[in-house]
Amino acid sequence: MSQITTASEPQKHRPVSSADIEFFASTGARIVHGERPLGSEYNTDHFGKYFGSTSVAVFPSTTEQVSRILEHCNRNAIAVVTQGGNSGTAGGAMAQQGEIILSLRDMNKVRALDEVSGVLVADGGCVLEDLDNHVRNYGYIMPVDLGAKKKCMIGGNVSTSAGGLRYLRYGSMHGTVLGVEAVLPDGRVLDALFTLKKDASGYDVKQLFIGAEGTLGVVTAVAIALAPKPQCAQIAVLGLRDFGRIQKAFVLARQALGEIVSAFEFWEKRCNEIVVEYEGYASPLAGSHEFYVLIETRGSFARHDAEKMEVFLGLLRQQGLVDETRVFSDAQEMEQTWLFRSQMAEAHGKSGCMHVYDFSLPSKHQHELLIAVKAHLQDAGLYNVPDAPVKDVTIFGHIGDDNIHLQVVAREFGGVVESAMEPWVYEWVGGHGGSVAAEHGLGAHKGKFLKFSKSSVVIDTMKSLKNLIDPNGIMNPGKHIALA
C-alpha cells in the first residue's frame, strides 16, 4: 500500500534545535520530542492517507504560552502546524516538512457560559462532545454535530469551517461563531472574542480564521452561539428507488415538517451494505433499497411533532415516493440509527483505501456525479472489470445543504486511481457549479484544484491576506492557499 508523504513545497525553514526545545519548555508548555519522528498519534491522519515527519510536539496550556512560542518561531524561521484532535481527512494537520506540531490538547477549559444569551466561550482545545455534554446541563446544545465529535476540537472545527450533520437546522460556523481569540504568527494576540450577536463596527475579522486551517494563526478560544436543547426528537428512515424521489421528498419535508426539520441525510445502497459488512450494524430498514434517507425532527412538543411526521409520511406514500418507512422515537434506537449514518466514512475506510472527496454540488447534479465517475473509471479500465484497482464508488451526504461525499475505494492510495480521478473530478464539479471542498477543507492536497471553483481574483485576494498576516510563511506551510 502506498501513502502520500511528499511535502508540497521545498523546505524553507530551519529545523528545531535543542536550544529551541529548551525555550519551548521555559514557557511552561509540555513537550514531546525525540531523535526520530514521533508516532502515528501525531504523524498519521485519520484515514491513514497523509503522513507527517515531526519529531517535536508542543502542548501549551495558555494563550500566553502560544504567543511566546509563535513569536520565537517567527523570529527564528521555525515552521508550525497546529493540531487539535487530528480527526481531519485532508492532511491539513500533518507536519509533512518536519515542522513542529503545536497541539491544543492542553487548552481544554470552558471560560464562560451565559445562561441567558446562550453563548459559550471555550478554549480551542475543548473536545466537541465534552462541550455538548457540558452545555446540556444548562439547557443548550452545540450547534455543530460531527461524526468525529468524540475526538475533534472546537478550534479545529472553526479552523476547517466544519459543517456536520445538522447544518440544515443550525447553520454554519460562519453564522454561529460570534468571536475568536487567535494568536498571530508574530505572537500578537488578536482578541476578537466578541460575545454579542450584533456587531457592525468594521471588518468582521474573525471570519478570516474560519476555514483558514491554521495558515493565519492559532485559534486559542471561541465564542459560539448555542442552540436550545430540544425537548423531543424523532427519526424517520425512508427507502426509495431513485434519486429524483429523494429531491421530491426533501421539498415535501420542508413544506410538511417546516421548522422542526433538523437533518435530511441520504446514502445509496452500496453504502448501506458496507456499513452492515464492516461495522456489523443492522440496517435501519428491513428491505434493500437503491437509496436511503434519514430525516430528523427536533421540537418542544412530542405529540405535535409526531402528528406532523405522520402527515408527511402519508403524503410520501400517497405520491408514491417511498417503498418503506420506519420511525424511531426511542432515544437508544435513535442513537443507533445516527451511529449507522455517522460511521459511514469509517466503514468505507475499513473496506479499502478510501479516496474521499467532499464537494458542494447542486442537488440536481449529485447523482449525475456518481454516474459520471463510475463511467469515467470504467472507461479507464479501473472499475467494474476483473481485478479492478477500484473496489467501490459510492455517495452519501447532507441533501439539505448540497454537501455530497464521494468515496472511491481502491486497493491502494495514489497511483493510477488518483491519476485518473484528479484533476478530472474537480474540473467536473467546478463545471457543474460546485465547490471542490465543502466541509473537510483544502488541507495538504486540494489547494491546487481551487482554480476549478474560485476565480483568479478570489485566489489572489486569499494569497494577499496570507502574505500580509504571515509574511514569513511559518504557519502550516505548503498547504491550503499555498498550493493554488
Side-chain angles (χ1 to χ4, degrees), residues 267-341:
W267 60 94
E268 46 112 353
K269 181 179 182 179
R270 184 58 186 143
C271 291
N272 208 75
E273 293 171 346
I274 287 172
V275 175
V276 171
E277 180 178 356
Y278 289 93
E279 294 293 335
Y281 299 145
S283 174
L285 295 181
S288 177
H289 305 276
E290 290 302 314
F291 291 93
Y292 297 79
V293 162
L294 181 156
I295 303 171
E296 182 191 69
T297 70
R298 290 179 157 196
S300 57
F301 186 35
R303 181 177 175 182
H304 166 268
D305 295 356
E307 289 173 352
K308 294 189 79 167
M309 180 65 79
E310 186 177 349
V311 169
F312 166 65
L313 295 178
L315 291 172
L316 289 177
R317 298 185 191 102
Q318 184 180 5
Q319 296 181 27
L321 297 178
V322 293
D323 297 316
E324 184 182 358
T325 64
R326 186 178 178 187
V327 177
F328 303 88
S329 55
D330 175 78
Q332 186 173 359
E333 289 183 338
M334 288 192 291
E335 182 179 356
Q336 288 299 312
T337 306
W338 264 123
L339 189 61
F340 188 96
R341 163 60 188 88

Side-chain angles (χ1 to χ4, degrees), residues 380-394:
L382 302 175
Y383 175 68
N384 203 26
V385 295
D387 299 318
V390 175
K391 299 168 61 178
D392 281 302
V393 181
T394 68

Side-chain angles (χ1 to χ4, degrees), residues 61-114:
S61 58
T62 68
T63 301
E64 180 184 0
Q65 290 175 6
V66 176
S67 174
R68 292 184 63 195
I69 291 164
L70 287 192
E71 192 275 334
H72 176 87
C73 290
N74 191 58
R75 188 174 65 248
N76 292 280
I78 299 170
V80 179
V81 171
T82 308
Q83 195 173 95
N86 196 18
S87 59
T89 63
M94 289 294 99
Q96 294 180 323
Q97 301 179 28
E99 309 96 326
I100 71 163
I101 282 178
L102 193 153
S103 173
L104 294 181
R105 296 182 193 183
D106 290 355
M107 294 191 68
N108 52 18
K109 295 179 177 59
V110 172
R111 298 191 184 185
L113 195 161
D114 189 320

Side-chain angles (χ1 to χ4, degrees), residues 248-258 261 308 312 315 319:
K248 292 177 181 178
F250 176 65
V251 172
L252 195 58
R254 297 296 296 272
Q255 294 170 346
L257 297 172
V261 177
K308 294 189 79 167
F312 166 65
L315 291 172
Q319 296 181 27

Side-chain angles (χ1 to χ4, degrees), residues 94-336:
M94 289 294 99
Q96 294 180 323
Q97 301 179 28
E99 309 96 326
I100 71 163
I101 282 178
L102 193 153
S103 173
L104 294 181
R105 296 182 193 183
D106 290 355
M107 294 191 68
N108 52 18
K109 295 179 177 59
V110 172
R111 298 191 184 185
L113 195 161
D114 189 320
E115 296 182 49
V116 176
S117 64
V119 175
L120 173 76
V121 180
D123 285 349
C126 290
V127 173
L128 179 59
E129 186 174 62
D130 292 343
L131 289 179
D132 190 61
N133 290 336
H134 177 75
V135 301
R136 282 177 179 271
N137 295 324
Y138 300 90
Y140 293 100
I141 59 170
M142 294 295 289
V144 62
D145 190 2
L146 306 169
K149 63 186 176 182
K150 294 180 181 296
K151 187 178 182 184
C152 67
M153 298 175 185
I154 191 64
N157 300 152
V158 170
S159 296
T160 57
S161 191
L165 302 169
R166 297 185 176 91
Y167 189 106
L168 175 64
R169 175 70 169 269
Y170 302 119
S172 72
M173 284 288 182
H174 287 285
T176 56
V177 173
L178 303 177
V180 301
E181 175 189 85
V183 180
L184 300 179
D186 61 6
R188 289 180 297 160
V189 178
L190 185 145
D191 184 359
L193 205 56
F194 203 68
T195 59
L196 299 179
K197 296 174 182 177
K198 281 189 175 182
D199 179 22
S201 56
Y203 300 122
D204 194 0
V205 177
K206 71 172 183 291
Q207 297 291 347
L208 293 177
F209 296 89
I210 301 174
E213 300 181 46
T215 60
L216 301 181
V218 178
V219 175
T220 50
V222 177
I224 191 166
L226 305 172
K229 183 169 70 174
Q231 301 303 305
C232 57
Q234 59 183 335
I235 289 173
V237 178
L238 319 177
L240 310 93
R241 66 186 66 178
D242 60 54
F243 193 79
R245 284 175 166 81
I246 295 178
Q247 295 173 307
K248 292 177 181 178
F250 176 65
V251 172
L252 195 58
R254 297 296 296 272
Q255 294 170 346
L257 297 172
E259 77 288 350
I260 64 173
V261 177
S262 53
F264 195 105
E265 303 286 298
F266 85 95
W267 60 94
E268 46 112 353
K269 181 179 182 179
R270 184 58 186 143
C271 291
N272 208 75
E273 293 171 346
I274 287 172
V275 175
V276 171
E277 180 178 356
Y278 289 93
E279 294 293 335
Y281 299 145
S283 174
L285 295 181
S288 177
H289 305 276
E290 290 302 314
F291 291 93
Y292 297 79
V293 162
L294 181 156
I295 303 171
E296 182 191 69
T297 70
R298 290 179 157 196
S300 57
F301 186 35
R303 181 177 175 182
H304 166 268
D305 295 356
E307 289 173 352
K308 294 189 79 167
M309 180 65 79
E310 186 177 349
V311 169
F312 166 65
L313 295 178
L315 291 172
L316 289 177
R317 298 185 191 102
Q318 184 180 5
Q319 296 181 27
L321 297 178
V322 293
D323 297 316
E324 184 182 358
T325 64
R326 186 178 178 187
V327 177
F328 303 88
S329 55
D330 175 78
Q332 186 173 359
E333 289 183 338
M334 288 192 291
E335 182 179 356
Q336 288 299 312

